[in-house]
Amino acid sequence: MRKLAMVVLVFLIGVGLVLVWSCATVKKIESGHVRDEALVAGRDAASFPAADEDYFHDMDYGITESPEAVRAALDPYVPGISAQDAVKRAVRGRNNWIVWTAGNDRFWDQLSRKFSLGTIDLLRTISTHPSLPHGRPDRWKYYGVVNEPCFRKPTGPRSDRYGLWLDERVSGPDCGPDPFENEQRYPGVKIGARGKNIPTGSFYGYATGIVGLRLFPNPDFDEKAAQHWDAEKYYKDPAYYNDKNLVKPYRVGMSCGFCHVGPNPSNPPTDPENPTWANLNSNPGAQYFWVDRIFVWNPDEKSFASQLFNTSRPGALDTSFVSSDMINNPRTMNAIYNLGPRLVQGLKWGSEPLAGGERDNKQFQDYDFVPASSPVMGLYDPNTHTARVPHVLKDGSDSVGSLGALNRVYINIGLFSEEWTLHFIPLVGGPSTSPIRIADAEKNSSYWKATEEQSPDVALFFLAASPPDLLKNAPGGTAYLTGDSAQLNRGKEVFAERCARCHSSKLPEKAFTDFFRPGSIGPNYLKSWDDYWKWTKTAEFKDQMKQIVMRDDFLKDNAMTTEARVPVTLLETNACSPLATNALAGNIWDNFSSSAYKSLPAVGKVQIQDPFTYQTSWYDMPGGGRGYTRPPSLCSLWSTAPFLLNNTVGVFKWTGSVPDRMESFNDGITQMLWPEKRKGNMTAATLSGKQHPGWIDRTPNQSYLTASAGYLPRVFSGVSGVLEKLHPNLISDGNIKIGPIPTDTPINLISNIDLEKKWDVAKLIVAIANDLDALPPNATDEQARNVFRPLVPKLLEVSKCRDFVVNKGHYFGTDFLPASEGEPGLSDADKKALIEFLKTF
């Protein structure tokens, strides 16, 4: 009977894998023939006009309250623009950023009920029910999301929200009505139950009390769903809410602002749980965002899924966690500082050819309001189909034009999910992926076309409202700045010699005329980079760079990044980010990366370490776009710690106050310049031969791969009782519970399994299930390790990223840089001088 039950279980697993793997073929047939909800309801893009109420006027240093200031900021890019038009466009752009969700409430509902098996539930994230341990009173501290001003904790279930415990709006002289909820001016999409037994609402939804999350009536909430709905059971009864068929009265939509609006570093709130709009900026990035707490509403320390999300440190998110490339790769959410200088920097770069679907991206040329004399018109040449672009994504793959890069973000958070999710399996990724085509979105998505129409205004808003947040302007900030002019000047010299070559948009002209010229991006890029890097070590470069850095206007309009793509072989940072595959040819974001990106050469070998023995070996980085990281901007560096692309270096402090930001900065910058002070649970090797404490994310205790019965096929419930008796390590209380995975297992050893290696993975899964099944009930860690140990080589063979050390790399200015670089480490005095200069950015 036990063998028979195992056969049944393996059969069910096999059937599941076959269905998963075959769905890609089915999806390709459907792709290009589905329409979004708006188009199905007969709505075109023109029926979604951009909101022009300046509701957020106190934000971003109150920039929109000064029409002349906005005009002056935009005039270099839109010559002759009037103050009235400048403010109107900036206001519309900010409104889009903060409240426009483009119909993605459908996606987040699907993700909750269908794809995440109930792990993700944003309707709970926005709730403050007595049964939930966290809510509005400690939402900032626990979740790191921004409480919207003019709301308070609910006093009870809301009758106007079907008994849900959602934030209540307060009235007062500074708290007028939310104009975006105006159903008459912004009528919602009437589809399904909307407009029948549930209101239609506005296409901007209702405010939730959290900036960037909006509430929408659920079109699936018909009479049957309404009769079944019980808010108290939804909060309290697992048998009720763990049901893939449960229809909730509302869906939650997400705007870009959810991941980008944050407290103003130079004007922080007195109480971070209760900011005013004047305390908030649109561009810092969600530096305090706890991904694991936001997207795992009911964390379980024994759930492997919870432990996987825990690898995202505050302020870091794997932007491919939905459109998964099967590589766990949490990265910082990008701040948007000094957008104008970044666009100007793009004009200097070698052009990136666009071909095929890449050419379907909108450019500034497509909009009549941008005059031919505007410098942004030079960012794209329609005759040669080449783009000159700044980069935002860590790997520089968003290389099709600034507007195309911006529009891709909306798809990534769920726009046109009817089509997007046909090209991969959400949260799983492969085993087969295909590009989402812009041409299909143009044809079948009114939300997409409306987003395209509004994205230039978003760009103009950031051209007007993305200045650095300076420490000298923050409360008490001057106390952290040196008064020693000699030390500060030495810091400038050090920066010129060691840092500016990657972290300044102001460079000697030769950088662009001799190295990064047209034709240098693509197959020839690595030679251009190597030649440039060698030149930056010469006296010629350093002397010229010192002159530039010493100028009084060096920091003015400086993007503080070259936007170059730097080989990871030089950086020595974790290789998982530059191994990302979504932007490669034929993959999900194929239409949103340039042909030049796709033809970048391989960078060579990187050193990796066995996660158990720590022995080093070499891994050949593949080409075609992978292998590079663009330098982050150092604007407002004092306010952005912890450091590295995954926020692993430096202590995290949650308040956002100036003293706490400075404590994080001092700790982080110390670890960056003195790597031996980094935190670790192992010993990380470097190409210099030196070692420092390194960190590998591991399971903190025994864990399990779980799935509640309510989300599984009905056939499973019919046999689960028998299976549980015979296989207690695989089934528990009628739910899937595969394990135990032993304590201290490297999390990425499991999360980075390459599902494209179909049959190797299938055999491995069956082997793991069979070996775990042989363990006694309540197996010890040692017993579980005896099962896993022989499987480690097989797991590494099917891994898409075998680099597990997350806090290594960026050894410039230290003794950990290889001797072959010919640059000895800085003295302690020079490091301290450099730090003083970095504080002024």
Side-chain angles (χ1 to χ4, degrees):
M1 283 295 295
R2 183 177 175 83
K3 289 182 179 179
L4 177 61
M6 188 63 191
V7 169
V8 171
L9 184 61
V10 170
F11 173 76
L12 289 173
I13 294 173
V15 168
L17 289 172
V18 170
L19 289 174
V20 165
W21 290 337
S22 65
C23 74
T25 302
V26 175
K27 288 175 178 179
K28 287 180 181 177
I29 295 173
E30 298 172 352
S31 175
H33 299 281
V34 295
R35 298 181 296 168
D36 70 7
E37 287 183 340
L39 197 58
V40 169
R43 299 284 293 272
D44 61 11
S47 69
F48 299 104
D52 57 11
E53 296 93 341
D54 196 6
Y55 180 71
F56 304 114
H57 55 84
D58 286 340
M59 291 180 64
D60 307 297
Y61 298 102
I63 180 67
T64 56
E65 294 183 314
S66 175
E68 182 53 35
V70 179
R71 187 209 62 77
L74 294 184
D75 189 67
Y77 310 101
V78 188
I81 191 170
S82 68
Q84 181 181 8
D85 191 31
V87 169
K88 184 177 181 179
R89 290 191 176 279
V91 166
R92 292 192 312 206
R94 178 165 56 191
N95 289 344
N96 175 289
W97 190 249
I98 298 177
V99 298
W100 172 248
T101 63
N104 68 23
D105 51 296
R106 174 190 183 273
F107 166 75
W108 290 102
D109 183 65
Q110 289 253 311
L111 198 65
S112 173
R113 295 191 296 117
K114 181 178 180 181
F115 298 118
S116 76
L117 306 182
T119 298
I120 298 171
D121 189 349
L122 293 179
L123 198 58
R124 290 178 181 275
T125 302
I126 65 175
S127 296
T128 306
H129 186 270
S131 67
L132 298 174
H134 304 282
R136 184 170 182 94
D138 67 343
R139 189 177 281 155
W140 170 256
K141 180 178 181 180
Y142 181 73
Y143 292 111
V145 298
V146 178
N147 271 332
E148 184 169 345
C150 299
F151 281 85
R152 67 185 176 199
K153 173 185 174 182
T155 55
R158 290 183 55 172
S159 59
D160 63 338
R161 294 290 183 262
Y162 292 89
L164 291 166
W165 288 60
L166 305 180
D167 289 9
E168 298 173 352
R169 193 169 187 86
V170 299
S171 59
D174 298 323
C175 294
D178 183 324
F180 314 109
E181 295 182 359
N182 187 332
E183 184 176 344
Q184 285 67 48
R185 188 170 188 192
Y186 307 115
V189 174
K190 190 174 182 179
I191 188 171
R194 282 185 190 163
K196 295 179 180 178
N197 60 298
I198 193 167
T200 304
S202 159
F203 63 72
Y204 285 116
Y206 305 113
T208 63
I210 296 178
V211 176
L213 294 181
R214 307 286 292 185
L215 195 70
F216 294 83
N218 190 344
D220 296 328
F221 196 69
D222 56 18
E223 292 182 2
K224 181 180 178 181
Q227 291 173 359
H228 179 63
W229 173 251
D230 186 318
E232 281 302 296
K233 285 186 176 181
Y234 166 67
Y235 287 119
K236 293 181 177 180
D237 185 357
Y240 179 79
Y241 62 68
N242 279 328
D243 180 1
K244 64 180 180 294
N245 297 313
L246 176 65
V247 178
K248 293 164 262 189
Y250 294 98
R251 307 191 308 203
V252 180
M254 181 184 297
S255 74
C256 291
F258 181 60
C259 291
H260 289 276
V261 171
N264 182 336
S266 296
N267 185 29
T270 303
D271 176 4
E273 301 290 358
N274 294 286
T276 67
W277 288 117
N279 296 133
L280 303 178
N281 280 3
S282 299
N283 63 314
Q287 300 165 299
Y288 298 88
F289 200 87
W290 291 83
V291 169
D292 54 337
R293 300 174 181 182
I294 293 167
F295 293 125
V296 182
W297 75 268
N298 187 25
D300 177 359
E301 65 177 9
K302 291 190 175 182
S303 164
F304 180 80
S306 288
Q307 295 179 356
L308 174 60
F309 273 102
N310 286 345
T311 63
S312 293
R313 288 154 179 82
L317 164 69
D318 186 348
T319 54
S320 301
F321 90 99
V322 175
S323 54
S324 176
D325 58 0
M326 296 161 284
I327 299 175
N328 180 38
N329 174 29
R331 291 166 285 185
T332 54
M333 281 167 270
N334 292 300
I336 306 172
Y337 286 114
N338 272 353
L339 178 60
R342 295 182 75 169
L343 293 180
V344 172
Q345 177 83 335
L347 290 170
K348 299 178 181 179
W349 269 92
S351 54
E352 306 210 9
L354 307 185
E358 302 160 13
R359 296 180 181 177
D360 292 331
N361 286 280
K362 293 290 186 184
Q363 308 290 346
F364 282 105
Q365 279 84 351
D366 296 312
Y367 299 90
D368 293 338
F369 74 90
V370 184
S373 58
S374 170
V376 301
M377 297 296 275
L379 293 170
Y380 180 71
D381 185 342
N383 296 314
T384 60
H385 299 289
T386 54
R388 295 174 180 266
V389 294
H391 302 136
V392 175
L393 294 181
K394 298 291 188 292
D395 56 1
S397 61
D398 52 337
S399 45
V400 291
S402 299
L403 299 184
L406 177 61
N407 291 333
R408 186 203 65 85
V409 174
Y410 290 90
I411 297 181
N412 197 41
I413 58 175
L415 182 157
F416 199 18
S417 60
E418 294 89 344
E419 173 72 32
W420 184 44
T421 54
L422 297 180
H423 297 274
F424 60 94
I425 303 167
L427 302 178
V428 175
S432 179
T433 58
S434 58
I436 180 169
R437 297 181 292 269
I438 295 173
D440 290 336
E442 294 282 354
K443 179 177 62 174
N444 296 322
S445 175
S446 295
Y447 283 126
W448 167 260
K449 291 182 71 67
T451 300
E452 279 187 321
E453 287 303 309
Q454 296 180 35
S455 59
D457 287 342
V458 178
L460 292 184
F461 164 66
F462 282 114
L463 285 172
S466 57
D469 301 304
L470 300 178
L471 179 58
K472 69 179 182 179
N473 297 331
T478 56
Y480 297 98
L481 298 172
T482 184
D484 186 338
S485 59
Q487 185 185 42
L488 188 62
N489 285 335
R490 179 55 190 156
K492 293 179 179 181
E493 291 176 345
V494 173
F495 184 84
E497 293 175 347
R498 301 295 184 95
C499 310
R501 55 193 175 184
C502 285
H503 292 291
S504 173
S505 60
K506 296 182 178 182
L507 295 169
E509 195 60 29
K510 184 176 177 178
F512 302 102
T513 59
D514 286 29
F515 302 105
F516 300 126
R517 55 186 180 272
S520 65
I521 300 179
N524 300 319
Y525 177 76
L526 201 55
K527 182 180 186 308
S528 296
W529 167 264
D530 288 342
D531 289 345
Y532 168 73
W533 188 251
K534 291 175 184 176
W535 177 61
T536 64
K537 300 176 187 179
T538 66
E540 178 187 11
F541 170 84
K542 292 181 179 181
D543 289 344
Q544 293 182 35
M545 197 67 238
K546 285 180 186 178
Q547 294 178 33
I548 295 172
V549 175
M550 288 297 179
R551 293 172 186 162
D552 292 339
D553 65 348
F554 172 67
L555 296 179
K556 180 177 172 57
D557 294 331
N558 193 329
M560 305 311 295
T561 173
T562 62
E563 301 283 6
R565 297 182 178 105
V566 183
V568 70
T569 46
L570 175 63
L571 290 170
E572 293 189 63
T573 47
N574 182 269
C576 289
S577 176
L579 277 170
T581 58
N582 279 355
L584 301 183
N587 218 295
I588 299 166
W589 300 128
D590 171 276
N591 280 198
F592 296 89
S593 64
S594 69
S595 297
Y597 167 82
K598 298 182 181 82
S599 63
L600 288 171
V603 297
K605 299 178 183 291
V606 294
Q607 182 177 255
I608 59 175
Q609 289 180 263
D610 184 285
F612 294 101
T613 67
Y614 307 145
Q615 292 298 307
T616 60
S617 61
W618 295 95
Y619 175 76
D620 283 305
M621 293 291 290
R626 287 166 287 184
Y628 301 86
T629 299
R630 60 103 184 151
S633 169
L634 299 188
C635 288
S636 305
L637 184 69
W638 70 274
S639 69
T640 61
F643 296 129
L644 280 189
L645 75 172
N646 48 21
N647 278 355
T648 55
V649 177
V651 63
F652 171 74
K653 307 290 287 187
W654 70 270
T655 68
S657 69
V658 174
D660 278 356
R661 286 182 188 267
M662 287 308 300
E663 184 175 342
S664 292
F665 169 83
N666 288 327
D667 185 58
I669 203 65
T670 296
Q671 291 186 46
M672 290 295 292
L673 293 174
W674 288 271
E676 63 273 17
K677 297 185 179 183
R678 296 185 187 182
K679 306 299 185 285
N681 54 12
M682 51 84 67
T683 301
T686 72
L687 296 181
S688 69
K690 293 177 177 289
Q691 297 178 325
H692 67 74
W695 189 271
I696 293 177
D697 289 316
R698 300 178 183 273
T699 56
N701 44 253
Q702 284 191 355
S703 57
Y704 300 81
L705 295 169
T706 61
S708 297
Y711 295 99
L712 301 174
R714 287 187 177 182
V715 65
F716 179 80
S717 61
V719 296
S720 63
V722 174
L723 292 175
E724 182 171 353
K725 290 180 180 179
L726 297 171
H727 303 287
N729 290 328
L730 304 177
I731 312 292
S732 178
D733 297 328
N735 306 314
I736 292 285
K737 189 178 180 182
I738 299 176
I741 299 169
T743 304
D744 290 332
T745 299
I747 290 174
N748 288 358
L749 184 66
I750 297 174
S751 68
N752 292 354
I753 291 175
D754 186 355
L755 296 180
E756 291 181 354
K757 298 181 177 180
K758 301 179 180 64
W759 302 116
D760 290 337
V761 173
K763 289 186 291 184
L764 182 59
I765 290 175
V766 172
I768 292 173
N770 189 63
D771 289 349
L772 289 174
D773 182 57
L775 288 171
N778 302 314
T780 65
D781 266 336
E782 187 57 35
Q783 289 171 321
R785 288 193 188 101
N786 288 336
V787 167
F788 264 81
R789 195 170 289 123
L791 297 171
V792 170
K794 295 179 181 179
L795 285 165
L796 289 172
E797 286 176 7
V798 297
S799 176
K800 283 194 77 173
C801 179
R802 304 175 192 175
D803 194 2
F804 297 93
V805 185
V806 295
N807 65 336
K808 64 179 183 177
H810 197 284
Y811 300 124
F812 307 108
T814 78
D815 291 329
F816 287 76
L817 202 64
S820 59
E821 285 298 313
E823 294 187 341
L826 298 168
S827 67
D828 285 357
D830 278 354
K831 290 179 181 179
K832 291 176 181 178
L834 174 62
I835 290 172
E836 292 304 325
F837 183 49
L838 296 177
K839 292 179 187 178
T840 67
F841 291 3

